[in-house]
Protein backbone atom coordinates (compact mmCIF):
# COMPACT_ATOMS: atom_id res chain seq x y z
CA UNK A 1 0.00 0.00 0.00
CA UNK A 2 1.53 3.30 -1.11
CA UNK A 3 0.89 6.18 1.25
CA UNK A 4 -0.05 9.65 0.05
CA UNK A 5 3.34 11.37 0.32
CA UNK A 6 1.77 14.84 0.45
CA UNK A 7 -0.26 13.83 3.54
CA UNK A 8 2.83 12.35 5.24
CA UNK A 9 4.85 15.53 4.88
CA UNK A 10 1.93 17.83 5.69
CA UNK A 11 1.39 16.06 9.02
CA UNK A 12 4.71 17.45 10.28
CA UNK A 13 5.00 20.54 8.13
CA UNK A 14 7.94 19.21 6.12
CA UNK A 15 8.51 18.58 2.44
CA UNK A 16 9.55 15.07 1.50
CA UNK A 17 12.48 14.26 -0.76
CA UNK A 18 10.46 12.59 -3.49
CA UNK A 19 9.73 12.82 -7.19
CA UNK A 20 6.88 11.80 -9.44
CA UNK A 21 9.31 9.75 -11.52
CA UNK A 22 10.38 7.60 -8.55
CA UNK A 23 6.82 7.21 -7.27
CA UNK A 24 5.67 6.01 -10.69
CA UNK A 25 8.63 3.65 -10.99
CA UNK A 26 7.93 2.11 -7.56
CA UNK A 27 4.30 1.48 -8.47
CA UNK A 28 5.33 -0.02 -11.81
CA UNK A 29 7.89 -2.35 -10.18
CA UNK A 30 5.29 -3.41 -7.64
CA UNK A 31 2.71 -4.17 -10.35
CA UNK A 32 5.17 -6.15 -12.45
CA UNK A 33 6.42 -8.30 -9.55
CA UNK A 34 2.96 -9.00 -8.12
CA UNK A 35 1.58 -10.47 -11.32
CA UNK A 36 -0.07 -7.36 -12.82
CA UNK A 37 2.38 -5.98 -15.41
CA UNK A 38 1.02 -3.34 -17.81
CA UNK A 39 1.40 -5.71 -20.78
CA UNK A 40 -0.78 -8.45 -19.27
CA UNK A 41 -3.81 -8.84 -21.54
CA UNK A 42 -5.98 -11.95 -20.97
CA UNK A 43 -8.24 -10.97 -23.88
CA UNK A 44 -5.25 -11.33 -26.20
CA UNK A 45 -3.97 -14.41 -24.39
CA UNK A 46 -1.00 -12.66 -22.77
CA UNK A 47 -0.45 -13.74 -19.18
CA UNK A 48 2.63 -13.48 -16.96
CA UNK A 49 5.02 -16.04 -15.51
CA UNK A 50 6.20 -13.34 -13.06
CA UNK A 51 9.87 -13.79 -13.85
CA UNK A 52 10.49 -10.49 -12.07
CA UNK A 53 9.57 -11.95 -8.68
CA UNK A 54 11.59 -15.08 -9.44
CA UNK A 55 14.68 -12.96 -10.11
CA UNK A 56 14.17 -10.95 -6.90
CA UNK A 57 13.63 -14.14 -4.86
CA UNK A 58 16.68 -15.87 -6.33
CA UNK A 59 19.00 -12.91 -5.75
CA UNK A 60 17.75 -12.56 -2.17
CA UNK A 61 18.23 -16.30 -1.62
CA UNK A 62 21.89 -16.10 -2.64
CA UNK A 63 22.39 -12.97 -0.53
CA UNK A 64 21.03 -14.54 2.66
CA UNK A 65 22.54 -18.00 2.12
CA UNK A 66 23.65 -19.30 5.53
CA UNK A 67 23.89 -15.75 6.90
CA UNK A 68 25.04 -15.55 10.50
CA UNK A 69 25.74 -12.72 12.94
CA UNK A 70 27.71 -13.30 16.14
CA UNK A 71 27.85 -10.60 18.84
CA UNK A 72 30.13 -11.14 21.82
CA UNK A 73 31.98 -9.36 24.60
CA UNK A 74 29.50 -8.50 27.38
CA UNK A 75 26.00 -8.87 28.80
CA UNK A 76 24.94 -6.13 26.38
CA UNK A 77 26.31 -8.28 23.58
CA UNK A 78 24.24 -11.24 24.76
CA UNK A 79 21.07 -9.15 24.67
CA UNK A 80 21.85 -7.78 21.22
CA UNK A 81 22.55 -11.31 20.04
CA UNK A 82 19.11 -12.46 21.19
CA UNK A 83 17.26 -9.74 19.27
CA UNK A 84 19.56 -10.13 16.25
CA UNK A 85 18.56 -13.79 16.07
CA UNK A 86 14.97 -12.58 15.69
CA UNK A 87 16.12 -10.20 12.95
CA UNK A 88 17.65 -13.05 10.94
CA UNK A 89 14.53 -15.23 11.10
CA UNK A 90 12.49 -12.98 8.82
CA UNK A 91 15.33 -11.32 6.93
CA UNK A 92 15.47 -13.66 3.87
CA UNK A 93 11.78 -13.15 3.02
CA UNK A 94 12.01 -9.42 3.60
CA UNK A 95 15.09 -9.17 1.41
CA UNK A 96 13.13 -10.61 -1.49
CA UNK A 97 10.61 -7.80 -1.05
CA UNK A 98 13.41 -5.24 -0.87
CA UNK A 99 14.92 -6.51 -4.11
CA UNK A 100 11.58 -5.95 -5.85
CA UNK A 101 11.38 -2.30 -4.82
CA UNK A 102 15.01 -1.22 -4.60
CA UNK A 103 15.49 -1.40 -0.82
CA UNK A 104 13.87 -1.29 2.61
CA UNK A 105 14.15 0.29 6.03
CA UNK A 106 15.14 -1.83 9.05
CA UNK A 107 14.66 -0.62 12.61
CA UNK A 108 14.09 -2.05 16.06
CA UNK A 109 11.07 -0.59 17.86
CA UNK A 110 12.02 -1.73 21.37
CA UNK A 111 10.11 -5.01 21.13
CA UNK A 112 10.50 -6.33 17.59
CA UNK A 113 11.97 -5.48 14.19
CA UNK A 114 10.21 -3.34 11.61
CA UNK A 115 10.85 -3.87 7.90
CA UNK A 116 9.40 -0.95 5.95
CA UNK A 117 9.20 -0.98 2.16
CA UNK A 118 9.17 2.10 -0.08
CA UNK A 119 5.69 3.52 -0.15
CA UNK A 120 5.33 3.21 3.61
CA UNK A 121 8.01 5.74 4.51
CA UNK A 122 8.92 9.23 3.38
CA UNK A 123 12.41 10.74 3.31
CA UNK A 124 12.87 14.13 4.94
CA UNK A 125 16.67 14.55 4.99
CA UNK A 126 19.85 13.12 3.52
CA UNK A 127 23.51 13.89 4.11
CA UNK A 128 26.25 14.82 1.65
CA UNK A 129 26.74 11.13 0.80
CA UNK A 130 23.02 10.73 0.00
CA UNK A 131 22.58 8.63 3.15
CA UNK A 132 19.09 8.99 4.63
CA UNK A 133 19.22 10.76 8.02
CA UNK A 134 15.59 11.81 8.41
CA UNK A 135 12.42 9.87 7.63
CA UNK A 136 8.74 9.43 8.48
CA UNK A 137 7.49 5.86 8.88
CA UNK A 138 3.90 4.67 8.59
CA UNK A 139 2.45 1.74 10.55
CA UNK A 140 -1.13 0.51 10.70
CA UNK A 141 -3.59 -0.94 13.20
CA UNK A 142 -7.24 -1.98 13.23
CA UNK A 143 -9.48 -1.44 16.22
CA UNK A 144 -13.18 -2.11 16.06
CA UNK A 145 -14.52 -0.98 12.71
CA UNK A 146 -11.81 1.63 12.14
CA UNK A 147 -8.34 1.52 10.60
CA UNK A 148 -5.61 3.67 12.11
CA UNK A 149 -2.30 5.00 10.82
CA UNK A 150 0.64 6.02 12.99
CA UNK A 151 3.37 8.28 11.64
CA UNK A 152 6.77 8.12 13.33
CA UNK A 153 9.07 11.03 12.44
CA UNK A 154 12.83 10.55 13.00
CA UNK A 155 15.29 13.41 12.58
CA UNK A 156 18.24 15.30 14.03
CA UNK A 157 17.16 18.73 15.20
CA UNK A 158 19.11 21.34 17.17
CA UNK A 159 21.92 20.72 19.66
CA UNK A 160 22.29 20.20 23.39
CA UNK A 161 24.25 22.41 25.84
CA UNK A 162 27.52 20.81 24.70
CA UNK A 163 26.80 21.39 21.03
CA UNK A 164 25.91 17.76 20.26
CA UNK A 165 23.03 17.06 17.85
CA UNK A 166 19.69 16.05 19.37
CA UNK A 167 17.76 13.14 17.86
CA UNK A 168 13.97 13.46 18.06
CA UNK A 169 11.23 10.89 17.45
CA UNK A 170 7.65 12.20 17.16
CA UNK A 171 4.53 10.04 16.94
CA UNK A 172 1.12 11.02 15.56
CA UNK A 173 -1.97 8.84 15.06
CA UNK A 174 -4.87 9.14 12.61
CA UNK A 175 -8.18 7.41 12.07
CA UNK A 176 -8.63 6.68 8.37
CA UNK A 177 -11.52 8.34 6.60
CA UNK A 178 -12.31 5.42 4.32
CA UNK A 179 -12.61 1.87 5.62
CA UNK A 180 -9.81 -0.29 4.25
CA UNK A 181 -8.07 2.65 2.56
CA UNK A 182 -4.71 3.47 4.15
CA UNK A 183 -3.60 5.97 1.52
CA UNK A 184 -5.34 8.89 3.26
CA UNK A 185 -4.58 9.77 6.85
CA UNK A 186 -7.99 10.98 7.98
CA UNK A 187 -8.68 12.48 11.41
CA UNK A 188 -5.97 13.03 14.03
CA UNK A 189 -6.50 11.08 17.27
CA UNK A 190 -4.47 10.56 20.42
CA UNK A 191 -2.02 7.67 20.66
CA UNK A 192 -3.77 6.54 23.86
CA UNK A 193 -7.03 5.98 21.96
CA UNK A 194 -5.45 3.09 20.03
CA UNK A 195 -4.63 0.03 22.13
CA UNK A 196 -1.58 -0.92 20.05
CA UNK A 197 0.05 2.48 20.64
CA UNK A 198 -1.26 3.57 24.04
CA UNK A 199 2.15 3.10 25.73
CA UNK A 200 4.03 5.24 23.22
CA UNK A 201 5.14 8.78 23.97
CA UNK A 202 4.26 11.55 21.56
CA UNK A 203 7.86 12.77 21.46
CA UNK A 204 11.22 11.47 22.66
CA UNK A 205 14.59 13.25 22.54
CA UNK A 206 17.80 11.19 22.51
CA UNK A 207 21.29 12.58 23.05
CA UNK A 208 24.73 11.41 21.94
CA UNK A 209 23.62 9.71 18.73
CA UNK A 210 25.89 9.96 15.70
CA UNK A 211 23.61 7.99 13.35
CA UNK A 212 19.86 7.47 13.00
CA UNK A 213 18.01 4.69 14.81
CA UNK A 214 16.96 3.22 11.47
CA UNK A 215 18.93 1.66 8.63
CA UNK A 216 18.20 1.66 4.92
CA UNK A 217 19.30 -1.30 2.83
CA UNK A 218 19.70 -0.01 -0.72
CA UNK A 219 20.02 -2.29 -3.73
CA UNK A 220 23.48 -1.37 -5.11
CA UNK A 221 23.65 0.49 -8.39
CA UNK A 222 23.03 3.93 -9.83
CA UNK A 223 19.53 5.35 -9.77
CA UNK A 224 18.98 6.25 -13.41
CA UNK A 225 15.34 7.24 -12.88
CA UNK A 226 16.04 9.98 -10.33
CA UNK A 227 19.79 10.46 -9.68
CA UNK A 228 18.99 12.86 -6.82
CA UNK A 229 16.98 10.25 -4.93
CA UNK A 230 18.65 8.24 -2.15
CA UNK A 231 16.37 5.30 -2.99
CA UNK A 232 17.64 2.28 -4.89
CA UNK A 233 16.26 0.68 -8.03
CA UNK A 234 14.55 -2.67 -8.42
CA UNK A 235 16.85 -5.55 -9.35
CA UNK A 236 14.88 -6.04 -12.57
CA UNK A 237 14.48 -2.34 -13.45
CA UNK A 238 16.87 -2.63 -16.43
CA UNK A 239 15.29 -5.81 -17.80
CA UNK A 240 11.63 -4.79 -18.20
CA UNK A 241 11.80 -5.07 -22.00
CA UNK A 242 13.01 -8.66 -21.71
CA UNK A 243 10.45 -9.52 -19.02
CA UNK A 244 7.67 -8.35 -21.34
CA UNK A 245 9.11 -10.38 -24.22
CA UNK A 246 9.33 -13.49 -22.02
CA UNK A 247 5.67 -13.20 -20.97
CA UNK A 248 4.47 -12.70 -24.55
CA UNK A 249 6.61 -15.52 -25.96
CA UNK A 250 5.56 -18.03 -23.31
CA UNK A 251 1.91 -17.03 -23.62
CA UNK A 252 2.03 -17.48 -27.39
CA UNK A 253 3.70 -20.87 -26.99
CA UNK A 254 1.05 -21.99 -24.50
CA UNK A 255 -1.76 -20.77 -26.78
CA UNK A 256 -0.22 -22.65 -29.67
CA UNK A 257 -0.20 -25.85 -27.63
CA UNK A 258 -3.83 -25.36 -26.61
CA UNK A 259 -4.80 -24.93 -30.27
CA UNK A 260 -2.77 -27.91 -31.48
CA UNK A 261 -5.45 -30.62 -31.28
CA UNK A 262 -5.66 -33.09 -34.16
CA UNK A 263 -8.64 -32.59 -36.50
CA UNK A 264 -10.08 -34.97 -39.11
CA UNK A 265 -12.26 -33.47 -41.84
CA UNK A 266 -14.71 -35.78 -43.63
CA UNK A 267 -16.88 -35.11 -46.63
CA UNK A 268 -20.25 -33.48 -46.13
CA UNK A 269 -22.15 -36.52 -47.46
CA UNK A 270 -20.45 -38.90 -45.03
CA UNK A 271 -20.88 -36.46 -42.17
CA UNK A 272 -24.60 -35.96 -42.90
CA UNK A 273 -25.11 -39.69 -43.27
CA UNK A 274 -23.60 -40.35 -39.85
CA UNK A 275 -25.88 -37.74 -38.30
CA UNK A 276 -28.97 -39.19 -39.99
CA UNK A 277 -28.17 -42.65 -38.62
CA UNK A 278 -27.56 -41.25 -35.10
CA UNK A 279 -23.87 -42.19 -35.14
CA UNK A 280 -21.86 -40.11 -32.66
CA UNK A 281 -18.58 -39.06 -34.22
CA UNK A 282 -15.40 -38.42 -32.16
CA UNK A 283 -14.92 -34.80 -31.09
CA UNK A 284 -11.91 -34.39 -33.39
CA UNK A 285 -13.96 -35.31 -36.52
CA UNK A 286 -15.59 -32.38 -38.33
CA UNK A 287 -17.62 -32.17 -41.50
CA UNK A 288 -16.25 -30.10 -44.35
CA UNK A 289 -18.04 -26.76 -44.15
CA UNK A 290 -18.68 -23.96 -46.54
CA UNK A 291 -15.57 -22.35 -47.96
CA UNK A 292 -13.52 -25.54 -47.70
CA UNK A 293 -12.66 -27.26 -50.96
CA UNK A 294 -14.15 -30.77 -51.11
CA UNK A 295 -13.42 -32.73 -54.31
CA UNK A 296 -15.28 -35.77 -53.05
CA UNK A 297 -18.28 -35.77 -50.77
CA UNK A 298 -16.86 -38.86 -49.08
CA UNK A 299 -13.21 -37.69 -48.78
CA UNK A 300 -11.26 -37.73 -45.53
CA UNK A 301 -8.58 -35.15 -44.77
CA UNK A 302 -6.26 -35.03 -41.76
CA UNK A 303 -5.06 -31.80 -40.16
CA UNK A 304 -2.13 -31.89 -37.72
CA UNK A 305 -0.94 -28.41 -36.61
CA UNK A 306 2.80 -27.78 -36.71
CA UNK A 307 4.19 -26.59 -33.37
CA UNK A 308 6.96 -24.01 -33.36
CA UNK A 309 8.06 -25.06 -29.87
CA UNK A 310 11.81 -25.28 -30.57
CA UNK A 311 11.93 -21.88 -32.24
CA UNK A 312 9.88 -20.28 -29.47
CA UNK A 313 12.03 -21.81 -26.71
CA UNK A 314 15.14 -20.50 -28.47
CA UNK A 315 13.65 -17.00 -28.41
CA UNK A 316 12.55 -17.39 -24.78
CA UNK A 317 16.01 -18.54 -23.74
CA UNK A 318 17.59 -15.53 -25.44
CA UNK A 319 15.40 -13.16 -23.44
CA UNK A 320 15.88 -15.16 -20.22
CA UNK A 321 19.64 -14.97 -20.62
CA UNK A 322 19.54 -11.26 -21.47
CA UNK A 323 17.28 -10.55 -18.49
CA UNK A 324 19.64 -12.46 -16.20
CA UNK A 325 22.66 -10.52 -17.43
CA UNK A 326 20.84 -7.19 -17.00
CA UNK A 327 19.91 -8.21 -13.44
CA UNK A 328 23.54 -8.90 -12.50
CA UNK A 329 23.79 -12.64 -13.12
CA UNK A 330 26.16 -14.56 -15.33
CA UNK A 331 24.92 -15.55 -18.75
CA UNK A 332 22.88 -18.77 -18.74
CA UNK A 333 21.79 -18.70 -15.09
CA UNK A 334 18.16 -18.81 -16.24
CA UNK A 335 17.06 -21.23 -18.95
CA UNK A 336 13.86 -22.83 -20.26
CA UNK A 337 14.11 -26.52 -21.03
CA UNK A 338 11.61 -28.09 -23.42
CA UNK A 339 10.99 -31.04 -21.11
CA UNK A 340 11.31 -29.74 -17.57
CA UNK A 341 10.16 -26.13 -17.99
CA UNK A 342 11.82 -23.12 -16.39
CA UNK A 343 14.71 -23.93 -14.11
CA UNK A 344 17.17 -21.86 -12.14
CA UNK A 345 20.79 -22.80 -11.71
CA UNK A 346 20.91 -24.23 -8.19
CA UNK A 347 24.68 -24.19 -8.12
CA UNK A 348 26.67 -21.21 -9.23
CA UNK A 349 29.97 -22.39 -10.66
CA UNK A 350 33.21 -20.80 -9.58
CA UNK A 351 33.77 -19.18 -12.97
CA UNK A 352 30.41 -17.32 -12.87
CA UNK A 353 32.15 -14.15 -11.87
CA UNK A 354 29.31 -11.77 -12.67
CA UNK A 355 26.92 -13.55 -10.30
CA UNK A 356 29.52 -13.85 -7.56
CA UNK A 357 30.47 -10.17 -7.81
CA UNK A 358 26.82 -9.08 -7.79
CA UNK A 359 26.03 -11.08 -4.66
CA UNK A 360 29.21 -9.86 -2.94
CA UNK A 361 28.19 -6.25 -3.62
CA UNK A 362 24.69 -6.98 -2.33
CA UNK A 363 26.09 -8.55 0.83
CA UNK A 364 28.40 -5.59 1.48
CA UNK A 365 25.42 -3.23 1.27
CA UNK A 366 23.37 -5.50 3.53
CA UNK A 367 26.19 -5.73 6.09
CA UNK A 368 26.40 -1.92 6.26
CA UNK A 369 22.63 -1.71 6.82
CA UNK A 370 22.66 -4.41 9.50
CA UNK A 371 25.47 -2.67 11.38
CA UNK A 372 23.41 0.51 11.37
CA UNK A 373 20.26 -1.34 12.49
CA UNK A 374 22.10 -2.99 15.40
CA UNK A 375 23.55 0.41 16.34
CA UNK A 376 19.99 1.75 16.58
CA UNK A 377 18.89 -1.25 18.63
CA UNK A 378 21.83 -0.70 20.98
CA UNK A 379 20.81 2.96 21.47
CA UNK A 380 17.21 2.00 22.30
CA UNK A 381 18.44 -0.71 24.65
CA UNK A 382 20.24 2.00 26.61
CA UNK A 383 17.24 4.36 26.46
CA UNK A 384 14.85 1.71 27.80
CA UNK A 385 17.36 0.19 30.24
CA UNK A 386 16.89 -3.30 28.83
CA UNK A 387 20.48 -4.45 29.37
CA UNK A 388 23.59 -3.12 31.15
CA UNK A 389 26.08 -1.03 29.22
CA UNK A 390 28.96 -2.93 27.69
CA UNK A 391 31.21 -3.15 24.68
CA UNK A 392 30.59 -5.71 21.98
CA UNK A 393 32.10 -7.05 18.78
CA UNK A 394 30.12 -8.14 15.70
CA UNK A 395 31.20 -10.74 13.17
CA UNK A 396 29.28 -11.62 10.01
CA UNK A 397 29.26 -14.87 8.10
CA UNK A 398 27.78 -15.59 4.68
CA UNK A 399 27.51 -18.95 2.96
CA UNK A 400 29.58 -19.77 -0.11
CA UNK A 401 27.35 -19.41 -3.19
CA UNK A 402 29.56 -21.91 -5.05
CA UNK A 403 28.81 -24.52 -2.36
CA UNK A 404 28.46 -28.15 -3.54
CA UNK A 405 27.03 -30.64 -1.05
CA UNK A 406 28.70 -33.76 -2.45
CA UNK A 407 32.10 -32.07 -2.63
CA UNK A 408 31.74 -30.85 0.94
CA UNK A 409 30.72 -34.31 2.13
CA UNK A 410 33.71 -35.94 0.41
CA UNK A 411 36.04 -33.33 1.90
CA UNK A 412 34.74 -34.02 5.42
CA UNK A 413 35.21 -37.76 4.92
CA UNK A 414 38.82 -37.03 4.08
CA UNK A 415 39.16 -34.83 7.19
CA UNK A 416 37.92 -37.63 9.46
CA UNK A 417 40.17 -40.26 7.83
CA UNK A 418 43.19 -38.01 8.39
CA UNK A 419 42.12 -37.34 11.97
CA UNK A 420 41.76 -33.61 11.44
CA UNK A 421 38.23 -33.50 12.88
CA UNK A 422 36.29 -35.88 15.20
CA UNK A 423 34.17 -38.42 13.32
CA UNK A 424 31.04 -37.52 15.26
CA UNK A 425 31.06 -34.06 13.67
CA UNK A 426 30.68 -35.70 10.23
CA UNK A 427 27.61 -37.62 11.39
CA UNK A 428 26.01 -34.46 12.77
CA UNK A 429 26.71 -32.41 9.63
CA UNK A 430 25.77 -34.94 6.97
CA UNK A 431 23.74 -37.76 8.54
CA UNK A 432 21.27 -35.66 10.53
CA UNK A 433 22.26 -37.12 13.92
CA UNK A 434 22.22 -35.22 17.17
CA UNK A 435 25.57 -34.58 18.82
CA UNK A 436 24.72 -37.15 21.51
CA UNK A 437 23.80 -39.85 18.97
CA UNK A 438 26.89 -39.15 16.86
CA UNK A 439 29.25 -39.36 19.82
CA UNK A 440 27.63 -42.60 21.05
CA UNK A 441 27.94 -44.36 17.68
CA UNK A 442 31.52 -43.15 17.28
CA UNK A 443 32.44 -44.45 20.74
CA UNK A 444 30.80 -47.84 20.03
CA UNK A 445 32.77 -48.18 16.80
CA UNK A 446 36.00 -47.35 18.61
CA UNK A 447 35.30 -49.99 21.29
CA UNK A 448 34.65 -52.69 18.68
CA UNK A 449 37.86 -51.85 16.85
CA UNK A 450 39.81 -51.99 20.11
CA UNK A 451 38.40 -55.46 21.02
CA UNK A 452 39.23 -56.88 17.59
CA UNK A 453 42.76 -55.63 17.99
CA UNK A 454 43.20 -57.46 21.33
CA UNK A 455 42.02 -60.82 20.05
CA UNK A 456 43.87 -60.57 16.77
Amino acid sequence: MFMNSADIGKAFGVELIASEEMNNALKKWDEISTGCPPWRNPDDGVETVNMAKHIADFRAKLMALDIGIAISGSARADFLQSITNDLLKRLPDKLAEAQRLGGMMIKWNGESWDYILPGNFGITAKDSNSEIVGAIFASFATQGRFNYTRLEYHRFEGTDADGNPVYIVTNKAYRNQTAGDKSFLGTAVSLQSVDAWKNLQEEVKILRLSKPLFAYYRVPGANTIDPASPLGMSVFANAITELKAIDIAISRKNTEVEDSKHITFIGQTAYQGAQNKGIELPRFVLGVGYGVEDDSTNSIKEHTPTLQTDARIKDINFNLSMAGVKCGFSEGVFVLDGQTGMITATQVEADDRDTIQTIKTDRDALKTALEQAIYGADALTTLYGLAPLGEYEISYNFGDITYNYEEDKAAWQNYTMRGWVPKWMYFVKFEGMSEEEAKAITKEAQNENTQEGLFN
Side-chain angles (χ1 to χ4, degrees):
M1 178 64 67
F2 288 87
M3 294 291 299
N4 188 316
S5 59
D7 280 359
I8 292 179
K10 193 181 300 182
F12 296 97
V14 296
E15 185 174 347
L16 300 185
I17 300 175
S19 67
E20 195 65 26
E21 292 79 9
M22 274 306 295
N23 289 339
N24 291 337
L26 286 167
K27 292 177 181 178
K28 184 178 181 180
W29 298 334
D30 187 53
E31 290 171 354
I32 292 173
S33 56
T34 54
C36 299
W39 56 83
R40 181 175 177 268
N41 186 358
D43 293 337
D44 192 32
V46 178
E47 295 291 349
T48 179
V49 296
N50 207 345
M51 189 65 189
K53 184 177 185 303
H54 181 70
I55 290 172
D57 290 348
F58 184 56
R59 189 156 151 176
K61 177 183 176 182
L62 292 181
M63 277 182 64
L65 180 65
D66 290 335
I67 183 174
I69 301 177
I71 306 177
S72 59
S74 63
R76 171 61 65 93
D78 295 339
F79 177 80
L80 293 177
Q81 180 70 69
S82 66
I83 63 174
T84 301
N85 291 340
D86 293 334
L87 167 66
L88 295 179
K89 288 179 182 178
R90 298 175 61 197
L91 186 61
D93 290 340
K94 296 301 179 180
L95 279 176
E97 295 292 294
Q99 298 284 42
R100 290 193 308 115
L101 299 177
M104 69 174 172
M105 290 286 190
I106 308 173
K107 69 181 182 70
W108 193 58
N109 59 31
E111 296 180 352
S112 61
W113 291 93
D114 295 328
Y115 308 86
I116 307 103
L117 294 172
N120 282 331
F121 67 83
I123 303 169
T124 62
K126 62 178 182 176
D127 63 17
S128 57
N129 295 318
S130 287
E131 299 291 338
I132 302 172
V133 294
I136 302 173
F137 304 97
S139 59
F140 310 100
T142 300
Q143 184 172 300
R145 60 189 180 91
F146 292 108
N147 293 313
Y148 295 86
T149 300
R150 178 172 64 88
L151 298 181
E152 184 176 304
Y153 181 19
H154 289 238
R155 76 277 190 193
F156 286 99
E157 189 175 292
T159 58
D160 61 13
D162 297 324
N164 299 313
V166 177
Y167 192 85
I168 304 176
V169 180
T170 305
N171 286 292
K172 291 186 177 182
Y174 297 84
R175 186 171 64 205
N176 302 140
Q177 292 176 330
T178 307
D181 187 357
K182 300 174 182 177
S183 62
F184 296 97
L185 290 177
T187 305
V189 297
S190 68
L191 292 168
Q192 288 67 37
S193 65
V194 185
D195 292 340
W197 307 323
K198 63 183 180 181
N199 295 324
L200 294 177
Q201 298 181 43
E202 290 186 0
E203 189 166 280
V204 175
K205 295 183 179 181
I206 307 174
L207 306 179
R208 293 184 293 277
L209 285 184
S210 59
K211 295 180 289 187
L213 295 178
F214 58 84
Y216 177 61
Y217 162 68
R218 182 182 187 275
V219 172
N223 187 331
T224 56
I225 295 189
D226 182 3
S229 173
L231 295 175
M233 291 182 60
S234 169
V235 294
F236 56 79
N238 294 325
I240 291 178
T241 300
E242 287 73 21
L243 295 177
K244 177 181 179 180
I246 290 168
D247 281 344
I248 293 175
I250 292 179
S251 295
R252 295 287 182 252
K253 183 183 77 69
N254 293 341
T255 300
E256 187 178 86
V257 171
E258 290 177 1
D259 294 340
S260 64
K261 65 181 179 180
H262 174 84
I263 302 176
T264 299
F265 293 99
I266 65 174
Q268 191 65 28
T269 301
Y271 184 78
Q272 191 65 46
Q275 285 189 326
N276 292 338
K277 294 179 181 180
I279 299 174
E280 185 176 351
L281 296 173
R283 61 180 176 82
F284 54 82
V285 176
L286 299 176
V288 176
Y290 293 105
V292 178
E293 184 179 351
D294 181 22
D295 296 332
S296 171
T297 57
N298 292 312
S299 64
I300 299 176
K301 298 180 180 180
E302 303 287 342
H303 173 69
T304 303
T306 302
L307 295 178
Q308 302 294 325
T309 303
D310 292 340
R312 291 195 183 280
I313 288 180
K314 185 177 180 180
D315 177 61
I316 292 168
N317 277 333
F318 170 79
N319 284 296
L320 283 171
S321 181
M322 183 64 71
V325 170
K326 284 189 171 183
C327 294
F329 296 103
S330 301
E331 185 177 354
V333 169
F334 303 111
V335 65
L336 182 71
D337 185 85
Q339 295 181 342
T340 62
M342 189 177 298
I343 57 175
T344 298
T346 55
Q347 176 188 344
V348 181
E349 299 295 340
D351 59 350
D352 282 345
R353 297 178 182 176
D354 290 341
T355 300
I356 293 172
Q357 185 58 51
T358 294
I359 300 306
K360 181 185 181 302
T361 304
D362 273 345
R363 288 175 170 180
D364 289 343
L366 177 61
K367 179 182 175 182
T368 299
L370 292 176
E371 287 176 343
Q372 171 69 22
I374 294 172
Y375 168 87
D378 179 46
L380 287 180
T381 300
T382 300
L383 180 67
Y384 297 147
L386 300 176
L389 291 172
E391 295 184 353
Y392 58 88
E393 293 183 357
I394 307 177
S395 60
Y396 296 84
N397 179 63
F398 293 92
D400 182 5
I401 63 173
T402 63
Y403 176 80
N404 182 289
Y405 178 82
E406 294 300 330
E407 291 179 359
D408 193 22
K409 187 175 182 179
W412 271 76
Q413 288 176 340
N414 182 49
Y415 299 157
T416 58
M417 290 176 63
R418 291 176 177 269
W420 292 349
V421 296
K423 292 182 178 179
W424 65 265
M425 293 180 68
Y426 171 86
F427 293 123
V428 170
K429 187 174 179 67
F430 295 99
E431 302 300 336
M433 297 183 185
S434 67
E435 183 175 331
E436 184 179 357
E437 291 173 332
K439 287 182 176 179
I441 196 172
T442 302
K443 184 177 181 180
E444 183 177 350
Q446 289 174 341
N447 291 338
E448 289 183 359
N449 291 336
T450 301
Q451 290 174 0
E452 289 179 0
L454 290 173
F455 288 104
N456 288 340

